[in-house]
Amino acid sequence: MPGSPARGAAMGGGPRGLRKTWTELLAGRVKKQKYDPEREQKLKDSALKLLRYHQNMHDLLLEVEEPQCKRLRLSELIDRDSADASSDRSASFIRSAFRDQASRLGVPVGVLSAKVFARSVQQVCVEPSHPVLLSPEQSKKLSSLLMIARHLLAQNMFSRLTFCQELWKAQNSLLLEAMWRLHTHSVVSLQELLQSHPDSEAMAMWLFRNLRSLCEQIGASCPSPDTTEAMLSGLVQLLISRGFQGSSDPRRLVEPERLPQVATDVLQRMLAFSLDTLEADPQTTLDCQAVSGWIPIYSGHTCCGVVTENSLKSFFSHTLTQILTHKPVLKVSDAIQMQKEWSFAKTHHLLTDLHCRVLATLGPEESVGRLQEVLEMQEVNWQHVLSCVSTLVVCFPEAQQLVKGWVASLMARAFESYHLDSMVTAFLIVRQATLEGPYVFPSYADWFKESFGSSHGYHSCSKKTLVFLFKFLSDLVPWEAPRYMQVHIFHPPLVPSKYHSLLTDYISLAKTRLADLKVSLENVGLYEDLSSPGDIAERESQAVQDVKKAIMVFEQTGKIPMPVLEASIFRRPYYVSHFLPTLLAPRVLPEVPDPRVALIETLKRADKIPSSIYDAYRKACASAEKQQPENATSAQRTEADCAKEPLGLLTAALEELRALMTDPTQYSVISAQVAVVSEKLNAVLGHRNDGGSLQRAKIQLSVLPSTLQKQDQAVVDLLLTAFCQNLMAASSFVPPERQSPWAVLFVRTLCGHVLLPAVLTRLRQLLRHQGQSLSTSHVLGLAALAVHLGECRSMLPEVDPDVLAPSAGSLCVPDFLNSLLTCRTRDSLLFCMNFCTAAVSYCLCKFSALRNCLSPGLIKKFQFVVLRLFPEARAPCAPEHAACVPWRPLYLPSADWQRAALSLWRRDSFQELLKDKEFYLTYRDWVQLELEIQPEADVLSDMERQWILTHL
């Protein structure tokens, strides 16, 4: 009622005393209720139902809210001990949530969890800080997701196929490392991911872009190289194994065809991208970094144990074919004109590295066969073909004979069936191989003379073969370099007299072409290597080179060089107008006649210098003696400055070679670096390289004191020092028998140059006159060099040591080196012992045989010195059967030569050698060596001497 006081108080409209608090209102309603488990369960079910209708499954995967409101990563929950209640509750809650959500939506729980997980991975990859790699924060989030996914997989609550399909819906935002982590954590494999993509072309393009970005990071030395290299290696292994697996593989029957196509497409795209980039010759671009990161995958070690051998061979064979046929836009005429720019040293180092890796895996024999097959069946990129040939002959010495055999078969086929393509291929391959120097392949002039310069040449069968040859040579004229035409003119094919018109027609055509190029035949020097691809020198500078070479040959032989005699008769205009004026340049004549003066006087006595020219020369020299030209010193200084730069480049190349000695991963590129050294040596020597003609000459050392030109001595000292340093560096890492073939290649480079006489002259100075002052490293290096020179004896000329052995005549190089070791004084005896110990030890380590590498005289000297100096050697003792030859102790800082010599003496391998009569020290040998000993060096008593002679 309106006037009721109770009502007014209840409404709260009166004073404060009439209002009741909330606690007071509830106090009368509070009743103590009994515990009811059924009612508690209903309350929990109601709470879960409320959560299910309002939960976000995506957020649930990233983090979980515990009753204490402490936010924990799922990875932390799962990583906890299984006894941890919170971990069990978290895992149980995740499973329950997925089951309830799937039941409400009417979808399989595995499909639901896969879709939610895919969206979570996509969110982790949103706004990447890197094109392919995860940031630390992203990596931490993904680790949590991976733990959840593996948990769901273990409970059969995760569909891999659905996850892959959902993941590719946002492929442009995916990071390659995220996919790699899915693979390595066994959530879904890379193969499953690639197979599930709906569009093969889009899949290939995505993977290609990501591989490029990944290789850029490797080429740029990213902060996490282990991860990036593992990712690249794993992806490449998958692509090769799926793209090139054999049809006999049973897995091929159940695997869809789309994945092999994607794999081969991606590998082809990466190789094509690399070749295009190298063709543009980048220096600092990201593309170059990507190529440098990609090329190392072409290695058998990358897929070793993972990819089958057949798959690997198929991949590398396919790779070589793609390299050879990539963009075949160059014509044969282009190749003829440009191939001199495609030599090994001039080709981009990444391309030669690619060639070398592919060829090393296939092997020389299979590589040559593949080259032959591709050239016969497909259009090719001549730059890649010829640069590949250069890499083959430079880096694989065993391939040189294979290439020669291939060329011979091409030539035989060309002349048997008049097959022009075989002829073109043979000439291009030969010219390419000759660009790499005489230690790799005979000079073009030698090959041409051998092929066509006799009655047994390819062209000698009939008139038809002659016409075929000269038609081919005539067609080459508009495009080929002048050097090759000069070879054809100066060393023409042997033609019967009745067909001589064919030859004269070609020579006329070639001369006309040379005239159009403003190149005269007189420009060809007397000693010039016509196979050299370098620019033609001016007549005056060429004459300077001819005079230097003629003086050097005259100094060695004591006779007028044959090219000079021939030029005085058949090339008289050049001889009179250029050669003689250069030879007879006015100068202050030395008090002691030098080789130049001796050559001039010999030519005058042979009537090869007209009297008027000779008289003018003598008058000019007399005038020069009174007043020496002021510009002589400046001219010499200019010449020295010009030579300094090539010598510096040679020094740098030798230092780079030495840096490779101690790195076993670089053994495959040592052959390539030796080729670079050879090229730099050619640059230092200029036109004096004779292309290997020393094989047909005889070296006669000067009867005068051994002197070398300053330039030659600097080069020789540099080469010998480099050899000694390389040997010490390599031996400190591995013994000689396990070293790369660097020493063999190095010595063959020396043997293929005109510098060899200077090398032998310098060795004579060092071993005969300065042996006692040589350091241990020099003794070891020179001893090893002597072994390798002996190993190359078949390609070396004989040496006429003149005053050293006037009655012996010519000596082979091993015997010549042995003649340099004297046994006159005690110091020379000790040096002889050191040198022989080092040489024999090195030879037994490297070749296991001495017969073809060392002179028998050197072995006998070793026996002589050991028996003479060490009483221990005369006492009978059991041979030591240790397999190790005493080489290792020699290159240590404290080399114990006596211990090493006695250890070598007692080796069963050495004692077995002495059973050969050729090497055994006889009574007569002992007497001859004893006669050299000077009285003050005699340390034997008569009794000791008698005992030794009795036992010989």
Side-chain angles (χ1 to χ4, degrees), residues 236-256:
V236 169
Q237 290 170 4
L238 172 66
L239 294 176
I240 294 176
S241 62
R242 295 297 173 263
F244 295 93
Q245 64 183 16
S247 57
S248 60
D249 193 332
R251 292 175 297 179
R252 183 66 177 263
L253 300 176
V254 298
E255 183 180 280

Side-chain angles (χ1 to χ4, degrees), residues 438-439 674-675 677-678 681 744-753:
Y439 87 100
V674 173
V677 170
S678 179
L681 183 57
V744 176
L745 298 175
F746 194 101
V747 174
R748 287 180 182 175
T749 300
L750 289 181
C751 296
H753 287 83

Side-chain angles (χ1 to χ4, degrees), residues 573-619:
Y574 173 77
Y575 177 77
V576 173
S577 301
H578 300 284
F579 180 80
L580 282 183
T582 304
L583 176 65
L584 302 176
R587 63 175 183 141
V588 177
L589 298 177
E591 295 181 3
V592 178
D594 60 6
R596 189 188 194 101
V597 171
L599 174 59
I600 293 172
E601 296 302 325
T602 304
L603 287 172
K604 179 64 174 66
R605 289 195 298 269
D607 293 330
K608 296 301 179 182
I609 301 179
S611 299
S612 58
I613 296 178
Y614 180 77
D615 293 340
Y617 160 72
R618 297 295 296 185
K619 291 179 181 179

Side-chain angles (χ1 to χ4, degrees), residues 671-687:
S671 299
Q673 187 60 28
V674 173
V676 174
V677 170
S678 179
E679 186 200 30
K680 303 307 180 187
L681 183 57
N682 282 335
V684 174
L685 297 178
H687 292 280

Side-chain angles (χ1 to χ4, degrees), residues 108-123:
V109 64
V111 173
L112 176 63
S113 62
K115 289 184 177 181
V116 173
F117 186 68
R119 289 196 299 270
S120 301
V121 173
Q122 292 168 8
Q123 184 179 7

